Amino acid sequence: MPVGLIALALGGFGIGLTEFVIMGLLPQVAADFHVTEATAGWLISGYALAVVVGALGLTAAVTRFERKPVLAVLMVLFIAGNLVSALAPDYPVIMIGRIIAALSHGAFFGIGAVVAASMVAPNKKAGAIAIMFTGLTAANVLGVPFGTMLGQAAGWRSTFWAITVIGVLALAGILALVPKTGSGESDGRSAAGSASGGLRGELRAFRSGQVWLSILVTILGYGGMFGAFTYIAFTLTEVTGFSATTVPWLLILFGVGLFIGNTLGGKAADKNVDRTLVVVLAILVLVLVLFALTAGNQPVTIASMVLLGGFGFATVPGLQMRVMKYASSAPTLASGANIGAFNVGNALGAWMGGVTITAGLGYTSPIWAGAGITLLGLVVMAFAAAAAKKHDAGRPADVDSPEKDSESELQPA
């Protein structure tokens, strides 16, 4: 395994910790700044919206530059945002810190996925992406519980100081271990044989219907899982009957599922991306239906938590790889857009789950809503896979395929 992947995973760990640990610290933050819990909740929503902006706008702005220095600058931005949050004297300042840190999120994972894939052989690209995303899953398994405990014991600011230190370590690792790679501009020139690279070259990727279908699958497939997960604490306490003190440990089980699913999903996607996504999404629909039907049974719910995390995150490496595959030789902006799509899916799933609860349908209704959204994602994925198979079947043998184009761009450095 290239050591540079460890540095990327560490960066992913810090970014994932920043995104999710605030959920356990909201009561302290709200009390410290004398704001309501709903107002404090905007520190989560504002972060998610800023991720989408950064995934598109910031990635587009840096496509002409070499990727390694860009990753380093993004990590500096991440460090600055968390430093501002740690020192924030009031609520508006911590919101600014959250937004600054979030701007680096989408661009880091989008560009980092391309860099990770470039470090390995073509048949191991999805696995390399999965290793980078291991940092994100580890943040859920270990980082969030311990970050929350640190914040409760030493004050919420201590957690942001710890994340800042993690960012500094990740920055050092990127500078020392990540190899030099090309830029979006050079990718565009190699694909077009002219100087029409950079942003124009990256935008060409969006002419592909498969890129748009892949992004839609990301929104629906991941959104369904996250919609069920957003209100999981209410389901566990009000329906399953667990005590509130048990919930954090159950969330660790969910995180273990994330870790396993991310790893196995990456290996499976390296063998066949489309088949892996169709199978995993189909099983995820079944898991969500089973969870909704048996949420009152504690042992089955525990198993459902692990399976929900496992199959929910098993889609991530494949979804990211599929977008990069059909973006051909200009994958950077499309990769960043897909990271934004994950957050759009988060917002969609959370909104749909909230609508069902507000409608009085109970605390299992977000799980049913998640199953419905994921089913739509499965339908779109099946259509995309069939269309791709039909297109490839009619392609002359001497014509380059998207896979071949992407492999030439993503060869080991």
Side-chain angles (χ1 to χ4, degrees), residues 178-234:
V178 173
K180 291 184 178 181
T181 63
S183 65
E185 187 172 60
S186 62
D187 298 338
R189 279 198 293 266
S190 64
S194 67
S196 59
L199 182 57
R200 184 186 300 179
E202 293 288 337
L203 289 174
R204 277 199 304 272
F206 293 96
R207 295 178 184 176
S208 168
Q210 287 290 346
V211 168
W212 287 106
L213 287 172
S214 300
I215 289 174
L216 182 57
V217 174
T218 295
I219 293 172
L220 296 173
Y222 196 72
M225 185 274 285
F226 201 84
F229 177 69
T230 299
Y231 302 95
I232 199 69
F234 295 102

Side-chain angles (χ1 to χ4, degrees), residues 272-284:
N272 190 306
V273 174
D274 285 3
R275 183 174 60 200
T276 296
L277 290 174
V278 169
V279 171
V280 170
L281 286 171
I283 297 176
L284 181 58

Side-chain angles (χ1 to χ4, degrees), residues 326 385-399 401-403:
Y326 285 103
K389 186 175 181 180
K390 181 179 179 181
H391 180 268
D392 290 344
R395 180 188 292 271
D398 60 341
V399 177
S401 64
E403 296 96 324

